[in-house]
Amino acid sequence: MTASASLNPALVNWTGHEGLPRFEAIKDEDFAPAFEAAFAAHEAEIEAIAGNPEPPSFENTVVALEIAGDDLSRVSALFWTKAGADTNEMIQALEREIAPKMSRHYSKIGTNPALFRRIDTLWEQREELGLDLEATRVLERHWKGFVKSGAKLDKPEQERLAAINERLAGLGAKFGQNVLADEKDWVLLLTSEEELAGLPDFLRDAMAAVARDRGEEGKYAVTLSRSIIEPFLTFSENRELREQAFRAWTARGENGGETDNRAIIAETLALRAEKAKLLGYGNYAALKLDDTMAKTPEAVTGLLLQVWEKAVARAREEEADLAKLIAAEGRNHEVMPWDWRHYAEKLRTEKFSFSESELKPYLQLEKIIDACFDVAHRLFGITATEKKGITAYHPDVRVFEIRDASGKLVALFLGDYFARPSKRSGAWMSSFQSQHKLKLENGTIGEIPIVYNVCNFAKPADGKPALLSIDDARTLFHEFGHALHGMLSDVTYPTVSGTGVSRDFVELPSQLYEHWLTVPEILRKYAVHYRTGEPMPEALLDKVLAARTFNSGFATVEFTASALVDMAYHTAEPVSDPMMLEAATLEKIGMPKSIVMRHRSPHFLHVFSGDGYSAGYYSYMWSEVLDADAFAAFEETGNPFDPAMAARLKDNIYSVGGSIDPEDAYKAFRGKLPSPDAMLAKKGLVAVAPPSPAS
């Protein structure tokens, strides 16, 4: 990119610590001119590749495409991080403008006839090119990407497809901003002991800190951040307030006015269906699943319904147990969604003699971060060292150097752990740059990955530690599993680096990593009381491990209902009122009225804020089949840190990215593909067969 007076070079020339961006040198107003310059520079690079007078070769076409657009990648990475994790009105306005521009830019590239002719020629000649497996997969990715961008369509259809993609990008940006606005605007301020009844100290402290940040000193704020709302629903004895908070939580994106997402959903689904038909697919799910492990909507629905039948049966049993507790308290109401967490916690306390509030003092954020790093060291030989005093994109963000066993720097990791009004909800992993080994225009060979995790834990009051729930701790391990997938990557080409794998394989490294949280020796070492430093008592540890499948019917119904609605949306003909389709789908599968979808449609960010998990929310469960079987491989050795198994895991799963087919990658690690049995057993939805007697 040629710098101009209006372009801040800090956006593209990253000269901070070990190649980090110099975040302190970047202002919000720098992004608009930087995008314009980056688009222009990328267009010039594309024209040079497409217009190359030399016959197409892998080097002058595919490799050239791999390294083109570096400036745009850097500006985009910085901008989308800001948009997701620390947004404001200026960034949101630019997001609504940039999202469709970005779509238009890539549609133009994807339908460049001269460029596609070069790619298509190489694809036809692929058997004679002498490419290795990774290079062949990179060529395939590019060829399929062009085809799905409409390269084979006639000009009018190409133009319509480009218009659809541009509109979808704008709708996705608006959808996410609407959810964030509803989350940020709603607050329930409590003051009296009657309103605070049942709330443990750690939750009161977190709510007081949030209220103070909002200028309401001396009050306690219930917000729609999951780290506040879920424990409030769990512990509050005030049923009226639980219902009020729950209804606000599930109504995000469905409140009428400018932030209502229902019309956006209807238009999005109609445009996606039209796009699929333009590209020759029967429906949008078929288009999205074409390059996944699942392959077809029928395979996905088959797995989901197999699990649903067992999950809903278990949930009915759980509901009956909760109803008995309600009756025992002298109440005569049925189990409603705002009751479930509250009475499930009471039931867990009764069945396993411990409560979430008893467990939480042993789950300090700092210790769980240390546990994440220790597991990675034991499995993969890497170490993490925090570097203090380095400015990141927000003061809460922490920077770590990741080094291998020889001391070589292999990655940078940023951790952004606390909720704030400028951050969208949920938790995610992303990267500023991905690992690869190509020679760049400046003469350097390859890049190390710069990866970050974003979470939304409740920020503690000054001087107090951040305490996590067991679900929070799993989330932290989950996202660090994604981070490891990016940081341990060892491939040549950016396209297949790290998490550049099929959607229903990408959750394997993250969900698998969660298993090590509850390995007893990890809990014994890192689950220590924040006041006394004493390790979690063995009796409590045993109870935690025994309760791992408690309430699994509820959790599986929550998830599976969302996944089935996602598939229904993307296999059915578009409807004018998507909420009716949501309701009809839930009625058809027999959704208990005491449970709601984990993500109701108007705030289903996975599916409607961008295209990431559309017709793909099932992938968490598809990967769960894999991760249960993969951890069983360690259990079969008798050592959760077995060195030989860890080496196979790193070499065949964490380091190869998308350089080989995911089925082949899994079979290279495990020797076979799994059945759902291990996953169902892990959830406690089927009985585990006793071991066969020795012969």
Side-chain angles (χ1 to χ4, degrees):
M1 181 187 293
T2 302
S4 67
S6 63
L7 178 63
N8 182 352
L11 285 161
V12 293
N13 299 321
W14 293 357
T15 58
H17 179 79
E18 297 290 1
L20 270 178
R22 289 179 55 240
F23 295 99
E24 71 277 10
I26 298 168
K27 300 181 177 65
D28 291 347
E29 53 266 31
D30 294 336
F31 283 109
F35 268 116
E36 292 308 312
F39 283 139
H42 194 203
E43 286 175 9
E45 291 173 309
I46 293 299
E47 287 306 316
I49 298 168
N52 190 335
E54 297 292 323
S57 69
F58 187 80
E59 285 293 323
N60 71 20
T61 303
V62 177
V63 173
L65 282 172
E66 286 285 296
I67 63 175
D70 186 59
D71 287 348
L72 181 56
S73 296
R74 288 172 180 268
V75 174
S76 297
L78 289 164
F79 178 76
W80 295 114
T81 301
K82 183 84 175 171
D86 190 28
T87 194
N88 55 49
E89 289 186 6
M90 178 184 288
I91 292 295
Q92 289 185 331
L94 186 57
E95 182 184 6
R96 294 191 294 271
E97 179 185 334
I98 288 298
K101 276 187 178 180
M102 188 81 74
S103 175
R104 194 181 318 139
H105 174 76
Y106 283 104
S107 289
K108 185 178 178 182
I109 294 172
T111 54
N112 183 310
L115 186 56
F116 180 63
R117 279 195 296 273
R118 297 179 73 86
I119 292 289
D120 200 35
T121 297
L122 293 172
W123 180 245
E124 292 298 322
Q125 297 173 352
R126 62 190 181 278
E127 300 294 340
E128 293 85 50
L129 296 178
L131 303 177
D132 63 19
L133 177 59
E134 181 181 342
T136 301
R137 284 184 62 80
V138 171
L139 172 58
E140 180 183 18
R141 285 276 189 94
H142 281 283
W143 184 80
K144 285 187 173 181
F146 275 88
V147 172
K148 288 187 175 182
S149 294
K152 288 191 168 186
L153 299 178
D154 293 334
K155 190 68 174 175
E157 292 172 319
Q158 286 183 345
E159 291 174 350
R160 177 56 188 157
L161 182 60
I164 289 172
N165 287 336
E166 185 175 334
R167 178 60 177 162
L168 285 171
L171 290 171
K174 180 62 174 158
F175 185 98
Q177 290 182 6
N178 287 347
V179 176
L180 179 61
D182 279 3
E183 288 175 350
K184 186 171 67 172
D185 291 347
W186 191 90
V187 64
L188 176 63
L189 293 170
L190 310 181
T191 55
S192 70
E193 274 302 316
E194 181 185 358
E195 293 173 324
L196 297 168
L199 304 187
D201 288 345
F202 74 81
L203 181 55
R204 293 188 183 205
D205 289 344
M207 290 166 57
V210 173
R212 190 159 50 249
D213 288 345
R214 289 174 175 256
E216 298 287 352
E217 187 73 40
K219 297 181 181 179
Y220 300 84
V222 182
T223 69
L224 301 183
S225 168
R226 193 174 284 271
S227 61
I228 294 287
I229 186 71
E230 284 201 327
F232 179 77
L233 293 171
T234 299
F235 294 110
S236 174
E237 292 288 350
N238 191 314
R239 187 170 190 251
E240 183 180 328
L241 292 179
R242 290 203 312 268
E243 179 178 358
Q244 185 179 343
F246 185 87
R247 288 190 182 279
W249 190 35
T250 55
R252 289 168 293 156
E254 197 180 14
N255 290 307
E258 290 194 2
T259 63
D260 195 294
N261 277 330
R262 286 171 287 188
I264 290 177
I265 295 172
E267 186 178 357
T268 296
L269 293 173
L271 290 172
R272 286 175 176 172
E274 184 183 355
K275 174 178 177 176
K277 287 182 169 54
L278 276 172
L279 292 170
Y281 292 87
N283 54 57
Y284 191 71
L287 167 63
K288 285 298 297 290
L289 294 169
D290 185 36
D291 195 26
T292 63
M293 292 185 76
K295 303 287 192 296
T296 67
E298 292 75 20
V300 170
T301 303
L303 172 66
L304 293 174
L305 289 177
Q306 179 183 351
V307 175
W308 175 261
E309 180 183 352
K310 294 176 174 59
V312 78
R314 174 60 55 84
R316 296 290 186 195
E317 295 171 1
E318 294 167 354
E319 183 180 4
D321 289 339
L322 302 186
K324 291 176 185 175
L325 277 183
I326 292 171
E329 289 184 351
R331 303 174 187 269
N332 61 3
H333 61 78
E334 41 188 351
V335 182
M336 297 302 288
W338 46 91
D339 298 316
W340 192 295
R341 287 171 177 81
H342 182 69
Y343 285 98
E345 180 63 17
K346 290 186 174 183
L347 183 61
R348 177 169 59 179
T349 303
E350 180 182 294
K351 288 184 71 169
F352 298 100
S353 302
F354 82 94
S355 68
E356 184 75 30
S357 59
E358 184 182 355
L359 179 62
K360 203 158 187 173
Y362 292 96
L363 299 176
Q364 302 170 64
L365 172 62
E366 293 303 314
K367 294 293 185 182
I368 301 302
I369 292 172
D370 289 344
C372 263
F373 292 151
D374 188 15
V375 169
H377 178 68
R378 295 186 194 207
L379 289 173
F380 308 123
I382 62 174
T383 57
T385 304
E386 185 167 7
K387 308 305 290 185
K388 301 281 190 180
I390 297 174
T391 302
Y393 61 84
H394 187 276
D396 285 346
V397 179
R398 300 159 65 175
V399 178
F400 300 83
E401 291 180 352
I402 307 296
R403 296 184 181 272
D404 66 14
S406 71
K408 177 186 174 184
L409 183 71
V410 293
L412 294 173
F413 171 71
L414 284 70
D416 181 0
Y417 297 112
F418 295 124
R420 53 181 173 265
S422 63
K423 182 193 288 187
R424 68 175 169 86
S425 62
W428 64 94
M429 165 268 182
S430 193
S431 59
F432 290 106
Q433 68 185 29
S434 301
Q435 176 273 334
H436 68 83
K437 300 175 184 176
L438 292 179
K439 184 175 182 180
L440 302 177
E441 289 184 357
N442 62 11
T444 60
I445 304 294
E447 292 177 329
I448 64 166
I450 303 176
V451 172
Y452 62 92
N453 278 168
V454 179
C455 298
N456 270 284
F457 305 136
K459 193 170 186 178
D462 290 344
K464 295 198 175 184
L467 302 178
L468 306 182
S469 68
I470 192 71
D471 285 342
D472 288 337
R474 284 196 191 96
T475 295
L476 195 147
F477 264 70
H478 178 100
E479 297 307 333
F480 194 69
H482 278 310
L484 285 171
H485 200 188
M487 295 189 295
L488 295 174
S489 179
D490 186 19
V491 300
T492 300
Y493 304 99
T495 289
V496 293
S497 179
T499 56
V501 299
S502 65
R503 179 59 65 192
D504 51 10
F505 193 71
V506 77
E507 296 299 334
L508 169 60
S510 56
Q511 293 180 182
L512 174 58
Y513 205 68
E514 292 179 38
H515 289 263
W516 277 279
L517 169 64
T518 49
V519 167
E521 64 187 277
I522 294 299
L523 282 177
R524 288 189 186 104
K525 183 175 181 180
Y526 293 102
V528 297
H529 199 283
Y530 77 97
R531 284 201 182 106
T532 67
E534 292 294 314
M536 182 185 294
E538 284 291 321
L540 179 56
L541 174 60
D542 290 343
K543 293 170 188 174
V544 171
L545 297 177
R548 278 182 290 191
T549 62
F550 175 72
N551 211 33
S552 63
F554 168 83
T556 309
V557 163
E558 259 197 329
F559 168 83
T560 311
S562 297
L564 284 165
V565 168
D566 173 34
M567 291 306 297
Y569 276 144
H570 294 105
T571 53
E573 289 296 318
V575 293
S576 58
D577 185 354
M579 297 303 95
M580 289 183 65
L581 180 56
E582 177 189 277
T585 302
L586 296 177
E587 182 179 4
K588 180 180 178 181
I589 62 176
M591 181 74 169
K593 72 175 184 178
S594 53
I595 306 176
V596 300
M597 296 164 61
R598 182 165 179 82
H599 304 287
R600 287 203 56 246
S601 302
H603 52 261
F604 206 162
L605 292 165
H606 287 77
V607 171
F608 294 111
S609 180
D611 192 39
Y613 283 83
S614 56
Y617 192 63
Y618 79 92
S619 60
Y620 289 95
M621 183 172 288
W622 194 273
S623 292
E624 201 171 357
V625 172
L626 301 174
D627 81 66
D629 180 71
F631 193 70
F634 283 87
E635 292 177 316
E636 289 160 13
T637 72
N639 178 5
F641 300 100
D642 181 78
M645 193 61 68
R648 289 174 63 177
L649 181 64
K650 180 182 179 183
D651 293 345
N652 296 294
I653 304 294
Y654 280 90
S655 70
V656 298
S659 64
I660 64 175
D661 181 270
E663 286 192 12
D664 293 337
Y666 192 81
K667 285 189 284 189
F669 162 66
R670 190 68 164 108
K672 62 180 178 66
L673 288 175
S675 74
D677 296 344
M679 180 266 288
L680 293 169
K682 184 188 83 169
K683 289 178 173 294
L685 299 178
V686 296
V688 180
S692 301
S695 56

